[in-house]
């Protein structure tokens, strides 16, 4: 099978901005939202994930790391609800592109925060 080419038009966050968001927001995010973000990141950066699925996950992750969005992240109790919704919709729409391995790795990474 031929290697997939990366699409330069996908505006996904870079690795530094993603992990910075996770580490600075860890307590506010809660485990399930953080794991959802981490497993989305792992699936998006997996060479086995299709370009279409990378684009969907990348869009949700870009929204997740944006400092300003529909519901500002600094609002206690509700700040990450829109981010969580974007991640849930993305993960649900890519089906099995987010694997059990991604889930397990995400939980292991979360345990180190």
């Amino acid at each position: 099978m031929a290697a997939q080419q990366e699409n330069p038009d996908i505006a996904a966050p870079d690795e530094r901005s993603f992990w910075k968001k996770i580490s600075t927001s860890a307590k506010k995010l809660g485990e399930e939202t953080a794991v959802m973000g981490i497993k989305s990141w792992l699936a998006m950066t997996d060479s086995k994930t299709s370009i279409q699925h990378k684009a969907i996950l990348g869009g949700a992750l870009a929204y997740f790391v944006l400092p300003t969005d529909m519901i500002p992240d600094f609002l206690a109790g509700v700040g990450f609800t829109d981010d969580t919704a974007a991640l849930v919709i993305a993960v649900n729409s890519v089906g099995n592109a987010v694997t059990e391995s991604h889930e397990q790795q995400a939980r292991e990474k979360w345990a180190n925060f």
Side-chain angles (χ1 to χ4, degrees):
M1 183 159 75
Q4 294 179 352
Q5 294 181 343
E6 294 299 319
N7 185 342
D9 296 332
I10 297 173
D14 63 20
E15 186 169 10
R16 185 174 149 259
S17 63
F18 172 75
W19 289 110
K20 180 179 178 187
K21 176 72 170 205
I22 291 289
S23 65
T24 59
S25 303
K27 289 181 182 177
K28 295 178 192 172
L29 286 171
E31 180 174 357
E32 293 309 311
T33 299
V35 168
M36 181 78 64
I38 295 168
K39 72 183 180 183
S40 297
W41 174 263
L42 294 170
M44 187 194 72
T45 59
D46 189 333
S47 63
K48 297 174 192 158
T49 303
S50 73
I51 294 293
Q52 293 83 4
H53 290 156
K54 286 181 183 220
I56 292 166
L57 294 168
L61 288 164
Y63 186 82
F64 176 70
V65 300
L66 283 172
T68 57
D69 49 36
M70 288 178 34
I71 302 173
D73 295 341
F74 64 82
L75 293 176
V78 297
F80 288 101
T81 55
D82 58 328
D83 302 86
T84 302
L87 291 170
V88 167
I89 291 167
V91 168
N92 287 340
S93 68
V94 299
N96 62 0
V98 179
T99 66
E100 190 59 40
S101 176
H102 296 135
E103 172 85 23
Q104 182 180 5
Q105 290 174 50
R107 293 206 178 275
E108 289 170 5
K109 289 183 180 298
W110 174 250
N112 293 324
F113 276 98

